PDB file of all heavy atoms in Angstrom:
ATOM      1  N   VAL A 564      -3.776 -11.376   0.226  1.00  0.00           N
ATOM      2  CA  VAL A 564      -2.380 -11.293  -0.164  1.00  0.00           C
ATOM      3  C   VAL A 564      -1.598 -10.695   0.980  1.00  0.00           C
ATOM      4  O   VAL A 564      -1.937  -9.623   1.479  1.00  0.00           O
ATOM      5  CB  VAL A 564      -2.215 -10.404  -1.421  1.00  0.00           C
ATOM      6  CG1 VAL A 564      -0.748 -10.310  -1.794  1.00  0.00           C
ATOM      7  CG2 VAL A 564      -3.032 -10.968  -2.572  1.00  0.00           C
ATOM      8  N   THR A 565      -0.550 -11.365   1.431  1.00  0.00           N
ATOM      9  CA  THR A 565       0.242 -10.835   2.532  1.00  0.00           C
ATOM     10  C   THR A 565       1.079  -9.671   2.060  1.00  0.00           C
ATOM     11  O   THR A 565       1.435  -9.572   0.901  1.00  0.00           O
ATOM     12  CB  THR A 565       1.177 -11.920   3.092  1.00  0.00           C
ATOM     13  OG1 THR A 565       2.104 -12.287   2.067  1.00  0.00           O
ATOM     14  CG2 THR A 565       0.392 -13.135   3.538  1.00  0.00           C
ATOM     15  N   PRO A 566       1.440  -8.755   2.968  1.00  0.00           N
ATOM     16  CA  PRO A 566       2.180  -7.563   2.570  1.00  0.00           C
ATOM     17  C   PRO A 566       3.684  -7.755   2.542  1.00  0.00           C
ATOM     18  O   PRO A 566       4.405  -6.796   2.501  1.00  0.00           O
ATOM     19  CB  PRO A 566       1.780  -6.556   3.660  1.00  0.00           C
ATOM     20  CG  PRO A 566       1.559  -7.404   4.872  1.00  0.00           C
ATOM     21  CD  PRO A 566       0.960  -8.684   4.360  1.00  0.00           C
ATOM     22  N   ARG A 567       4.162  -9.013   2.522  1.00  0.00           N
ATOM     23  CA  ARG A 567       5.596  -9.234   2.596  1.00  0.00           C
ATOM     24  C   ARG A 567       6.332  -8.534   1.457  1.00  0.00           C
ATOM     25  O   ARG A 567       7.388  -7.953   1.635  1.00  0.00           O
ATOM     26  CB  ARG A 567       5.887 -10.744   2.513  1.00  0.00           C
ATOM     27  CG  ARG A 567       7.367 -11.071   2.353  1.00  0.00           C
ATOM     28  CD  ARG A 567       7.580 -12.563   2.290  1.00  0.00           C
ATOM     29  NE  ARG A 567       6.860 -13.173   1.198  1.00  0.00           N
ATOM     30  CZ  ARG A 567       7.300 -13.157  -0.068  1.00  0.00           C
ATOM     31  NH1 ARG A 567       8.423 -12.541  -0.350  1.00  0.00           N
ATOM     32  NH2 ARG A 567       6.606 -13.734  -1.023  1.00  0.00           N
ATOM     33  N   HIS A 568       5.777  -8.590   0.252  1.00  0.00           N
ATOM     34  CA  HIS A 568       6.469  -8.017  -0.895  1.00  0.00           C
ATOM     35  C   HIS A 568       6.671  -6.512  -0.746  1.00  0.00           C
ATOM     36  O   HIS A 568       7.754  -5.990  -0.943  1.00  0.00           O
ATOM     37  CB  HIS A 568       5.681  -8.312  -2.171  1.00  0.00           C
ATOM     38  CG  HIS A 568       6.182  -7.555  -3.340  1.00  0.00           C
ATOM     39  ND1 HIS A 568       7.320  -7.917  -4.022  1.00  0.00           N
ATOM     40  CD2 HIS A 568       5.718  -6.434  -3.929  1.00  0.00           C
ATOM     41  CE1 HIS A 568       7.531  -7.061  -4.984  1.00  0.00           C
ATOM     42  NE2 HIS A 568       6.574  -6.159  -4.959  1.00  0.00           N
ATOM     43  N   LEU A 569       5.612  -5.806  -0.386  1.00  0.00           N
ATOM     44  CA  LEU A 569       5.754  -4.363  -0.211  1.00  0.00           C
ATOM     45  C   LEU A 569       6.716  -4.051   0.923  1.00  0.00           C
ATOM     46  O   LEU A 569       7.474  -3.089   0.863  1.00  0.00           O
ATOM     47  CB  LEU A 569       4.384  -3.736   0.066  1.00  0.00           C
ATOM     48  CG  LEU A 569       3.417  -3.697  -1.129  1.00  0.00           C
ATOM     49  CD1 LEU A 569       2.076  -3.155  -0.684  1.00  0.00           C
ATOM     50  CD2 LEU A 569       3.983  -2.857  -2.249  1.00  0.00           C
ATOM     51  N   GLY A 570       6.686  -4.869   1.959  1.00  0.00           N
ATOM     52  CA  GLY A 570       7.556  -4.621   3.090  1.00  0.00           C
ATOM     53  C   GLY A 570       9.018  -4.749   2.740  1.00  0.00           C
ATOM     54  O   GLY A 570       9.881  -4.211   3.427  1.00  0.00           O
ATOM     55  N   ALA A 571       9.336  -5.452   1.654  1.00  0.00           N
ATOM     56  CA  ALA A 571      10.728  -5.589   1.258  1.00  0.00           C
ATOM     57  C   ALA A 571      11.288  -4.296   0.720  1.00  0.00           C
ATOM     58  O   ALA A 571      12.487  -4.131   0.604  1.00  0.00           O
ATOM     59  CB  ALA A 571      10.853  -6.689   0.198  1.00  0.00           C
ATOM     60  N   ARG A 572      10.403  -3.366   0.366  1.00  0.00           N
ATOM     61  CA  ARG A 572      10.878  -2.129  -0.238  1.00  0.00           C
ATOM     62  C   ARG A 572      10.617  -0.887   0.603  1.00  0.00           C
ATOM     63  O   ARG A 572      11.233   0.136   0.404  1.00  0.00           O
ATOM     64  CB  ARG A 572      10.199  -1.939  -1.605  1.00  0.00           C
ATOM     65  CG  ARG A 572      10.821  -2.791  -2.689  1.00  0.00           C
ATOM     66  CD  ARG A 572      10.137  -2.488  -4.008  1.00  0.00           C
ATOM     67  NE  ARG A 572      10.873  -3.055  -5.121  1.00  0.00           N
ATOM     68  CZ  ARG A 572      10.836  -4.327  -5.454  1.00  0.00           C
ATOM     69  NH1 ARG A 572      10.086  -5.143  -4.766  1.00  0.00           N
ATOM     70  NH2 ARG A 572      11.531  -4.777  -6.473  1.00  0.00           N
ATOM     71  N   HIS A 573       9.672  -0.913   1.491  1.00  0.00           N
ATOM     72  CA  HIS A 573       9.253   0.306   2.157  1.00  0.00           C
ATOM     73  C   HIS A 573       9.125   0.077   3.660  1.00  0.00           C
ATOM     74  O   HIS A 573       8.893  -1.016   4.131  1.00  0.00           O
ATOM     75  CB  HIS A 573       7.898   0.777   1.604  1.00  0.00           C
ATOM     76  CG  HIS A 573       7.937   1.012   0.120  1.00  0.00           C
ATOM     77  ND1 HIS A 573       8.512   2.111  -0.447  1.00  0.00           N
ATOM     78  CD2 HIS A 573       7.466   0.261  -0.888  1.00  0.00           C
ATOM     79  CE1 HIS A 573       8.390   2.041  -1.760  1.00  0.00           C
ATOM     80  NE2 HIS A 573       7.757   0.921  -2.053  1.00  0.00           N
ATOM     81  N   SER A 574       9.228   1.164   4.397  1.00  0.00           N
ATOM     82  CA  SER A 574       9.024   1.113   5.838  1.00  0.00           C
ATOM     83  C   SER A 574       8.441   2.443   6.278  1.00  0.00           C
ATOM     84  O   SER A 574       8.367   3.387   5.521  1.00  0.00           O
ATOM     85  CB  SER A 574      10.359   0.849   6.545  1.00  0.00           C
ATOM     86  OG  SER A 574      11.269   1.898   6.281  1.00  0.00           O
ATOM     87  N   GLY A 575       8.044   2.516   7.567  1.00  0.00           N
ATOM     88  CA  GLY A 575       7.520   3.776   8.086  1.00  0.00           C
ATOM     89  C   GLY A 575       6.054   3.695   8.393  1.00  0.00           C
ATOM     90  O   GLY A 575       5.361   2.732   8.067  1.00  0.00           O
ATOM     91  N   LEU A 576       5.565   4.776   8.994  1.00  0.00           N
ATOM     92  CA  LEU A 576       4.188   4.805   9.464  1.00  0.00           C
ATOM     93  C   LEU A 576       3.197   4.689   8.327  1.00  0.00           C
ATOM     94  O   LEU A 576       2.189   3.993   8.429  1.00  0.00           O
ATOM     95  CB  LEU A 576       3.939   6.113  10.239  1.00  0.00           C
ATOM     96  CG  LEU A 576       2.522   6.316  10.781  1.00  0.00           C
ATOM     97  CD1 LEU A 576       2.173   5.192  11.747  1.00  0.00           C
ATOM     98  CD2 LEU A 576       2.414   7.668  11.477  1.00  0.00           C
ATOM     99  N   VAL A 577       3.483   5.366   7.192  1.00  0.00           N
ATOM    100  CA  VAL A 577       2.537   5.332   6.088  1.00  0.00           C
ATOM    101  C   VAL A 577       2.351   3.912   5.592  1.00  0.00           C
ATOM    102  O   VAL A 577       1.242   3.436   5.379  1.00  0.00           O
ATOM    103  CB  VAL A 577       3.037   6.234   4.941  1.00  0.00           C
ATOM    104  CG1 VAL A 577       2.150   6.058   3.711  1.00  0.00           C
ATOM    105  CG2 VAL A 577       3.021   7.691   5.389  1.00  0.00           C
ATOM    106  N   TRP A 578       3.489   3.182   5.437  1.00  0.00           N
ATOM    107  CA  TRP A 578       3.375   1.827   4.944  1.00  0.00           C
ATOM    108  C   TRP A 578       2.811   0.891   5.993  1.00  0.00           C
ATOM    109  O   TRP A 578       2.150  -0.093   5.663  1.00  0.00           O
ATOM    110  CB  TRP A 578       4.726   1.328   4.441  1.00  0.00           C
ATOM    111  CG  TRP A 578       5.076   1.996   3.152  1.00  0.00           C
ATOM    112  CD1 TRP A 578       5.961   3.002   2.953  1.00  0.00           C
ATOM    113  CD2 TRP A 578       4.491   1.729   1.877  1.00  0.00           C
ATOM    114  NE1 TRP A 578       5.968   3.365   1.640  1.00  0.00           N
ATOM    115  CE2 TRP A 578       5.081   2.612   0.959  1.00  0.00           C
ATOM    116  CE3 TRP A 578       3.524   0.828   1.438  1.00  0.00           C
ATOM    117  CZ2 TRP A 578       4.746   2.607  -0.374  1.00  0.00           C
ATOM    118  CZ3 TRP A 578       3.187   0.833   0.104  1.00  0.00           C
ATOM    119  CH2 TRP A 578       3.790   1.710  -0.787  1.00  0.00           C
ATOM    120  N   ALA A 579       3.060   1.175   7.253  1.00  0.00           N
ATOM    121  CA  ALA A 579       2.450   0.347   8.299  1.00  0.00           C
ATOM    122  C   ALA A 579       0.937   0.445   8.222  1.00  0.00           C
ATOM    123  O   ALA A 579       0.213  -0.529   8.396  1.00  0.00           O
ATOM    124  CB  ALA A 579       2.949   0.785   9.672  1.00  0.00           C
ATOM    125  N   THR A 580       0.453   1.661   7.964  1.00  0.00           N
ATOM    126  CA  THR A 580      -0.986   1.841   7.818  1.00  0.00           C
ATOM    127  C   THR A 580      -1.502   1.091   6.609  1.00  0.00           C
ATOM    128  O   THR A 580      -2.546   0.446   6.635  1.00  0.00           O
ATOM    129  CB  THR A 580      -1.311   3.344   7.678  1.00  0.00           C
ATOM    130  OG1 THR A 580      -0.800   4.020   8.820  1.00  0.00           O
ATOM    131  CG2 THR A 580      -2.810   3.553   7.585  1.00  0.00           C
ATOM    132  N   LEU A 581      -0.734   1.178   5.485  1.00  0.00           N
ATOM    133  CA  LEU A 581      -1.147   0.474   4.283  1.00  0.00           C
ATOM    134  C   LEU A 581      -1.167  -1.028   4.507  1.00  0.00           C
ATOM    135  O   LEU A 581      -2.064  -1.731   4.048  1.00  0.00           O
ATOM    136  CB  LEU A 581      -0.189   0.816   3.134  1.00  0.00           C
ATOM    137  CG  LEU A 581      -0.451   0.098   1.800  1.00  0.00           C
ATOM    138  CD1 LEU A 581      -1.856   0.391   1.322  1.00  0.00           C
ATOM    139  CD2 LEU A 581       0.575   0.504   0.771  1.00  0.00           C
ATOM    140  N   PHE A 582      -0.163  -1.537   5.257  1.00  0.00           N
ATOM    141  CA  PHE A 582      -0.135  -2.971   5.531  1.00  0.00           C
ATOM    142  C   PHE A 582      -1.408  -3.400   6.246  1.00  0.00           C
ATOM    143  O   PHE A 582      -1.975  -4.449   5.973  1.00  0.00           O
ATOM    144  CB  PHE A 582       1.069  -3.319   6.404  1.00  0.00           C
ATOM    145  CG  PHE A 582       2.381  -3.193   5.691  1.00  0.00           C
ATOM    146  CD1 PHE A 582       3.558  -3.190   6.405  1.00  0.00           C
ATOM    147  CD2 PHE A 582       2.425  -3.088   4.313  1.00  0.00           C
ATOM    148  CE1 PHE A 582       4.760  -3.083   5.743  1.00  0.00           C
ATOM    149  CE2 PHE A 582       3.619  -2.970   3.658  1.00  0.00           C
ATOM    150  CZ  PHE A 582       4.795  -2.964   4.379  1.00  0.00           C
ATOM    151  N   ALA A 583      -1.829  -2.593   7.180  1.00  0.00           N
ATOM    152  CA  ALA A 583      -3.038  -2.949   7.917  1.00  0.00           C
ATOM    153  C   ALA A 583      -4.221  -3.051   6.975  1.00  0.00           C
ATOM    154  O   ALA A 583      -5.044  -3.962   7.070  1.00  0.00           O
ATOM    155  CB  ALA A 583      -3.304  -1.908   9.009  1.00  0.00           C
ATOM    156  N   GLY A 584      -4.298  -2.081   6.017  1.00  0.00           N
ATOM    157  CA  GLY A 584      -5.393  -2.132   5.062  1.00  0.00           C
ATOM    158  C   GLY A 584      -5.300  -3.336   4.148  1.00  0.00           C
ATOM    159  O   GLY A 584      -6.279  -3.993   3.860  1.00  0.00           O
ATOM    160  N   LEU A 585      -4.064  -3.634   3.706  1.00  0.00           N
ATOM    161  CA  LEU A 585      -3.889  -4.786   2.826  1.00  0.00           C
ATOM    162  C   LEU A 585      -4.204  -6.084   3.542  1.00  0.00           C
ATOM    163  O   LEU A 585      -4.720  -7.030   2.964  1.00  0.00           O
ATOM    164  CB  LEU A 585      -2.452  -4.825   2.297  1.00  0.00           C
ATOM    165  CG  LEU A 585      -2.142  -3.848   1.170  1.00  0.00           C
ATOM    166  CD1 LEU A 585      -0.650  -3.870   0.874  1.00  0.00           C
ATOM    167  CD2 LEU A 585      -2.941  -4.185  -0.065  1.00  0.00           C
ATOM    168  N   ALA A 586      -3.860  -6.148   4.816  1.00  0.00           N
ATOM    169  CA  ALA A 586      -4.135  -7.359   5.579  1.00  0.00           C
ATOM    170  C   ALA A 586      -5.627  -7.591   5.705  1.00  0.00           C
ATOM    171  O   ALA A 586      -6.089  -8.713   5.839  1.00  0.00           O
ATOM    172  CB  ALA A 586      -3.503  -7.263   6.966  1.00  0.00           C
ATOM    173  N   LEU A 587      -6.396  -6.499   5.683  1.00  0.00           N
ATOM    174  CA  LEU A 587      -7.844  -6.636   5.813  1.00  0.00           C
ATOM    175  C   LEU A 587      -8.478  -7.096   4.521  1.00  0.00           C
ATOM    176  O   LEU A 587      -9.345  -7.957   4.513  1.00  0.00           O
ATOM    177  CB  LEU A 587      -8.462  -5.289   6.237  1.00  0.00           C
ATOM    178  CG  LEU A 587      -8.120  -4.823   7.655  1.00  0.00           C
ATOM    179  CD1 LEU A 587      -8.732  -3.443   7.883  1.00  0.00           C
ATOM    180  CD2 LEU A 587      -8.632  -5.810   8.700  1.00  0.00           C
ATOM    181  N   ILE A 588      -8.025  -6.477   3.402  1.00  0.00           N
ATOM    182  CA  ILE A 588      -8.719  -6.816   2.163  1.00  0.00           C
ATOM    183  C   ILE A 588      -7.874  -6.476   0.960  1.00  0.00           C
ATOM    184  O   ILE A 588      -7.296  -5.410   0.893  1.00  0.00           O
ATOM    185  CB  ILE A 588     -10.070  -6.080   2.068  1.00  0.00           C
ATOM    186  CG1 ILE A 588     -10.758  -6.376   0.735  1.00  0.00           C
ATOM    187  CG2 ILE A 588      -9.928  -4.589   2.232  1.00  0.00           C
ATOM    188  CD1 ILE A 588     -12.170  -5.907   0.664  1.00  0.00           C
ATOM    189  N   VAL A 589      -7.735  -7.411   0.046  1.00  0.00           N
ATOM    190  CA  VAL A 589      -7.205  -7.163  -1.277  1.00  0.00           C
ATOM    191  C   VAL A 589      -8.161  -7.832  -2.243  1.00  0.00           C
ATOM    192  O   VAL A 589      -8.284  -9.050  -2.279  1.00  0.00           O
ATOM    193  CB  VAL A 589      -5.784  -7.740  -1.445  1.00  0.00           C
ATOM    194  CG1 VAL A 589      -5.334  -7.590  -2.898  1.00  0.00           C
ATOM    195  CG2 VAL A 589      -4.814  -7.041  -0.516  1.00  0.00           C
ATOM    196  N   SER A 590      -8.876  -7.008  -2.965  1.00  0.00           N
ATOM    197  CA  SER A 590      -9.828  -7.511  -3.952  1.00  0.00           C
ATOM    198  C   SER A 590     -10.893  -8.403  -3.346  1.00  0.00           C
ATOM    199  O   SER A 590     -11.147  -9.498  -3.820  1.00  0.00           O
ATOM    200  CB  SER A 590      -9.092  -8.276  -5.052  1.00  0.00           C
ATOM    201  OG  SER A 590      -8.141  -7.476  -5.656  1.00  0.00           O
ATOM    202  N   GLY A 591     -11.506  -7.986  -2.273  1.00  0.00           N
ATOM    203  CA  GLY A 591     -12.644  -8.728  -1.770  1.00  0.00           C
ATOM    204  C   GLY A 591     -12.349  -9.575  -0.564  1.00  0.00           C
ATOM    205  O   GLY A 591     -13.231 -10.275  -0.091  1.00  0.00           O
ATOM    206  N   CYS A 592     -11.131  -9.583  -0.018  1.00  0.00           N
ATOM    207  CA  CYS A 592     -10.838 -10.360   1.192  1.00  0.00           C
ATOM    208  C   CYS A 592     -11.448  -9.636   2.383  1.00  0.00           C
ATOM    209  O   CYS A 592     -11.291  -8.436   2.540  1.00  0.00           O
ATOM    210  CB  CYS A 592      -9.320 -10.483   1.342  1.00  0.00           C
ATOM    211  SG  CYS A 592      -8.805 -11.170   2.905  1.00  0.00           S
ATOM    212  N   THR A 593     -12.160 -10.352   3.255  1.00  0.00           N
ATOM    213  CA  THR A 593     -12.883  -9.718   4.335  1.00  0.00           C
ATOM    214  C   THR A 593     -12.366 -10.161   5.687  1.00  0.00           C
ATOM    215  O   THR A 593     -11.737 -11.189   5.841  1.00  0.00           O
ATOM    216  CB  THR A 593     -14.385 -10.066   4.245  1.00  0.00           C
ATOM    217  OG1 THR A 593     -14.521 -11.465   4.426  1.00  0.00           O
ATOM    218  CG2 THR A 593     -14.962  -9.660   2.907  1.00  0.00           C
ATOM    219  N   THR A 594     -12.663  -9.331   6.700  1.00  0.00           N
ATOM    220  CA  THR A 594     -12.262  -9.649   8.062  1.00  0.00           C
ATOM    221  C   THR A 594     -13.372 -10.346   8.827  1.00  0.00           C
ATOM    222  O   THR A 594     -13.150 -10.872   9.890  1.00  0.00           O
ATOM    223  CB  THR A 594     -11.894  -8.363   8.817  1.00  0.00           C
ATOM    224  OG1 THR A 594     -13.027  -7.503   8.793  1.00  0.00           O
ATOM    225  CG2 THR A 594     -10.733  -7.668   8.143  1.00  0.00           C
ATOM    226  N   GLY A 595     -14.529 -10.323   8.313  1.00  0.00           N
ATOM    227  CA  GLY A 595     -15.648 -10.966   8.993  1.00  0.00           C
ATOM    228  C   GLY A 595     -16.915 -10.714   8.228  1.00  0.00           C
ATOM    229  O   GLY A 595     -17.023  -9.767   7.466  1.00  0.00           O
ATOM    230  N   GLY A 596     -17.891 -11.575   8.415  1.00  0.00           N
ATOM    231  CA  GLY A 596     -19.123 -11.414   7.672  1.00  0.00           C
ATOM    232  C   GLY A 596     -18.963 -11.914   6.259  1.00  0.00           C
ATOM    233  O   GLY A 596     -17.918 -12.378   5.836  1.00  0.00           O
TER     234      GLY A 596
END
């Protein structure tokens, strides 16, 4: 799931970090393997 929705409401370092985590995995989405 892309983080576009959350980005519409929030900004800053904390959310940037969260975006990175969401980009890696939401409910089982993997970056490799």
